[in-house]
């Protein structure tokens, strides 16, 4: 038995339901800031963990670049992949979206690494680094020395090259004795014994193997370049890995798409470029759980280095038993609620004023060339009304249908997600 792409939504929604008890109320807001966000809300967006675990924090800080001995975590180096430096004066020393995840790991599998003898899995578990939403949904543009950060704007990152560089750096650490020596000295500072060095190499092997399998499944000769990623393809393959699907014909992650902007998303009925995810809210006591967003974001976290432990769903409750995972649902809900407050950026005063005659000519052209087809609102929109973005996807040379096609045609064995028939 196989699973199709939209089974992913069932898995992730199951996870969301099982863990929704962890939801916490969202803090107060005085929208006195740029784009409707306060400094605290912006900080939560930049640095809040969503349960993404790419590699242990200590390893991230100790790793060297693949071809030299400079630090991998160097902001200048990470900026070369398009990641944005933290705002000046910030106490954070990682690029925007490089969030630290600290949680007990005793129930996890793939991201439960042990590299020294006294290491604990409970409340003192080692922190990890991963990517949160803002790594992919924050833009920055510059004009004559004035830069403008756009929260929720499309990032111009080269995710594919970043991951390849990380994989190369891990492999180089394993295979080059001098690199390994320096790495062990830093990671094991104060406990650099032969036994721990042995444990560290075994843990490094485990992470390399995991990354290698991910790379094998996603492999494509296509280069995404800056500003595009096949998010759906990556999520799809990760879910197959967690489901323990036996080796299957590769579903290459070969449909890179642009990073969308995120203001107004809560007003859309459907999201994702192919409209596969519905925004559905569920009333929970006095508040609401953004059920659609939770499912969608849980999928995103799994695609971007979150972990779920899939066990066969044989009990009476079926998928309502849920799954153990690293996904931080409380923070995800907080981030999604913060997003509802996000406003489109205003034209900055440091930029030259808008040429009104060109702007009205642009509006005319939009009406003629764009709104007549794909971008026509089905009815007038207001702040509270639902926007219907999709009015059909014309199969013409203007539309890249690859992502939608992959979402429909990709198949993988269901593994532990199989329901037994
Ligand atoms: C690794 C990069 C990456 C990360 C991290 C990421 N996203 Fe995205 N996101 C994308 C890409 C690429 C798409 C477009 C996917 C598609 O539809 O094919 C997308 C789509 C979306 C959409 C749909 C928007 C629309 O108009 O259809 C929303 C909403 C969204 N992301 C929110 C989030 C939130 C919230 C988080 C964090 C919990 C997050 N994203 C994390 C890359 C990312």
């Amino acid at each position: 038995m196989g699973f199709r792409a939209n089974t992913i939504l069932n898995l992730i929604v199951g996870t969301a339901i099982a863990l929704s008890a962890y939801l916490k109320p969202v803090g107060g807001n005085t929208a006195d800031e740029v784009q409707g966000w306060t400094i605290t809300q912006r900080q939560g967006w930049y640095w809040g963990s969503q349960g993404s675990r790419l590699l242990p924090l200590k390893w991230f800080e100790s790793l060297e670049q693949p071809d030299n001995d400079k630090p991998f975590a160097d902001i200048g180096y990470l900026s070369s992949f398009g990641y944005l430096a933290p705002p000046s004066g910030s106490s954070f020393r990682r690029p925007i979206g490089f969030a630290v995840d600290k949680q007990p790991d005793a129930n996890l599998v793939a991201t439960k690494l042990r590299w020294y003898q006294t290491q604990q899995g409970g409340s003192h578990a080692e922190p990890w680094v991963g990517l949160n939403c803002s790594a992919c949904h924050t833009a920055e543009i510059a004009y004559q020395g004035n830069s403008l950060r756009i929260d929720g704007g499309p990032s111009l990152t080269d995710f594919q090259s970043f991951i390849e560089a990380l994989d190369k750096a891990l492999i180089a650490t394993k295979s080059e004795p001098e690199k390994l020596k320096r790495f062990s000295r830093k990671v094991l500072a104060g406990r650099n014994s032969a036994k721990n060095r042995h444990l560290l190499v075994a843990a490094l092997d485990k992470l390399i193997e995991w990354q290698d399998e991910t790379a094998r499944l996603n492999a494509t000769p296509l280069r995404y370049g800056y500003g595009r990623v096949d998010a759906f393809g990556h999520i799809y393959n990760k879910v197959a890995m967690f489901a323990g699907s036996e080796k299957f014909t590769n579903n290459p992650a070969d449909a890179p798409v642009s990073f969308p902007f995120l203001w107004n998303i809560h007003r859309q009925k459907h999201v994702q470029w192919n409209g596969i995810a519905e925004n559905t809210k569920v009333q929970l006591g006095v508040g609401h759980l953004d059920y659609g967003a939770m499912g969608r974001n849980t999928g995103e976290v799994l695609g971007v280095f979150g972990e779920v432990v899939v066990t066969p769903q044989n009990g009476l409750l079926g998928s309502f038993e849920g799954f153990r995972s690293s996904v931080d649902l409380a923070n995800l809900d907080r981030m999604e609620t913060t997003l509802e407050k996000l406003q489109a950026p205003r034209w900055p005063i440091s930029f030259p004023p808008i040429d009104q005659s060109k702007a009205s000519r642009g509006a005319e052209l939009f009406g003629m060339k764009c709104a007549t087809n794909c971008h026509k609102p089905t009815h007038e929109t207001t702040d509270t009304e639902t926007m219907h973005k999709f009015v059909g996807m014309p199969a013409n040379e203007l539309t890249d249908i690859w992502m939608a096609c992959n979402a429909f045609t990709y198949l993988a064995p269901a593994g532990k997600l199989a329901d037994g028939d």
Side-chain angles (χ1 to χ4, degrees):
M1 139 161 211
F3 76 92
R4 273 194 191 275
N6 51 9
T7 304
I8 293 173
L9 283 179
N10 293 342
L11 164 72
I12 55 195
V13 164
T15 317
I17 290 182
L19 297 174
S20 58
Y22 289 104
L23 287 176
K24 285 184 201 137
V26 180
N29 165 40
T30 45
D32 55 347
E33 281 290 327
V34 203
Q35 288 186 253
W37 276 358
T38 62
I39 291 169
T40 318
Q41 284 167 331
R42 177 166 294 105
Q43 282 206 346
W45 173 248
Y46 287 169
W47 315 111
S49 172
Q50 47 177 47
S52 165
R53 296 160 68 83
L54 177 57
L55 79 170
L57 176 63
K58 195 83 193 150
W59 295 22
F60 176 70
E61 289 169 345
S62 308
L63 197 67
E64 296 174 354
Q65 294 171 25
D67 305 319
N68 57 55
D69 59 2
K70 294 189 192 130
F72 186 87
D74 177 68
I75 301 264
Y77 178 65
L78 296 175
S79 311
S80 72
F81 302 104
Y83 293 103
L84 299 173
S88 55
S90 161
S91 58
F92 294 94
R93 277 190 229 102
R94 291 176 303 280
I96 286 178
F98 281 62
V100 169
D101 180 67
K102 201 162 168 29
Q103 62 173 299
D105 66 1
N107 286 329
L108 300 176
V109 178
T111 66
K112 177 181 165 181
L113 296 182
R114 295 288 178 265
W115 61 92
Y116 59 92
Q117 279 178 303
T118 52
Q119 196 176 336
Q120 294 182 20
S123 52
H124 295 294
E126 288 286 337
W128 282 54
V129 170
L131 296 185
N132 75 11
C133 326
S134 67
C136 296
H137 294 290
T138 311
E140 193 169 83
I141 52 174
Y143 176 76
Q144 292 187 341
N146 292 312
S147 66
L148 174 72
R149 182 152 292 167
I150 304 165
D151 290 315
S155 293
L156 280 180
T157 52
D158 182 350
F159 178 83
Q160 191 183 33
S161 299
F162 165 69
I163 292 299
E164 285 168 358
L166 175 70
D167 291 353
K168 257 175 90 182
L170 291 170
I171 291 167
T173 308
K174 172 73 200 305
S175 55
E176 293 173 29
E178 285 307 311
K179 260 190 184 306
L180 183 61
K181 218 185 268 175
R182 292 190 295 267
F183 182 71
S184 313
R185 239 190 338 251
K186 286 187 194 149
V187 172
L188 297 173
R191 48 169 88 97
N192 192 0
S193 64
K195 172 76 189 161
N196 283 344
R197 280 197 297 277
H198 188 72
L199 285 175
L200 180 60
V201 169
L204 191 58
D205 271 341
K206 196 176 158 192
L207 186 62
I208 289 173
E209 201 184 309
W210 181 253
Q211 288 293 103
D212 203 49
E213 177 66 355
T214 311
R216 187 185 73 79
L217 293 177
N218 289 326
T220 165
L222 204 114
R223 300 307 300 171
Y224 300 171
Y226 291 94
R228 292 196 311 169
V229 68
D230 182 354
F232 194 88
H234 279 257
I235 294 172
Y236 187 74
N237 283 326
K238 257 308 158 53
V239 172
M241 281 171 79
F242 287 127
S245 307
E246 289 301 311
K247 301 259 181 256
F248 56 93
T249 316
N250 269 20
N251 289 315
D254 59 0
V257 297
S258 316
F259 298 95
F261 58 82
L262 296 186
W263 44 90
N264 287 344
I265 51 156
H266 62 287
R267 295 165 58 200
Q268 292 172 205
K269 188 160 167 48
H270 291 93
V271 287
Q272 307 299 347
W273 291 128
N274 61 351
I276 201 172
E278 195 162 344
N279 271 334
T280 320
K281 291 184 202 274
V282 174
Q283 199 65 35
L284 277 184
V286 286
H288 68 253
L289 164 63
D290 200 335
Y291 176 88
M294 192 60 85
R296 158 167 54 74
N297 291 338
T298 304
E300 177 277 322
V301 180
L302 299 188
V304 193
F305 327 125
E307 176 178 354
V308 61
V309 182
V310 178
T311 43
Q313 302 283 296
N314 292 327
L316 270 180
L317 286 171
S319 61
F320 285 91
E321 285 172 15
F323 304 94
R324 277 180 279 138
S325 86
S326 71
V327 178
D328 188 332
L329 287 175
N331 253 354
L332 272 189
D333 190 54
R334 213 168 290 142
M335 284 168 144
E336 192 70 28
T337 314
T338 306
L339 271 181
E340 290 188 10
K341 308 209 159 58
L342 183 68
Q343 290 165 10
R346 284 174 196 281
W347 189 257
I349 32 174
S350 56
F351 285 17
I354 293 175
D355 179 330
Q356 290 306 334
S357 69
K358 281 187 184 161
S360 46
R361 175 90 189 106
E364 223 172 89
L365 278 174
F366 185 87
M368 270 157 35
K369 307 258 181 204
C370 318
T372 45
N373 206 342
C374 311
H375 301 283
K376 184 179 180 183
T378 48
H379 47 240
E380 277 301 301
T381 58
T382 67
D383 272 355
T384 50
E385 204 171 7
T386 306
M387 286 199 316
H388 296 255
K389 195 165 79 168
F390 290 96
V391 291
M393 192 184 271
N396 59 27
E397 72 284 359
L398 295 175
T399 312
D400 177 355
I401 57 171
W402 211 245
M403 179 265 168
C405 290
N406 282 1
F408 187 69
T409 57
Y410 274 5
L411 279 170
K416 286 175 272 184
L417 287 170
D419 59 9
D421 53 36

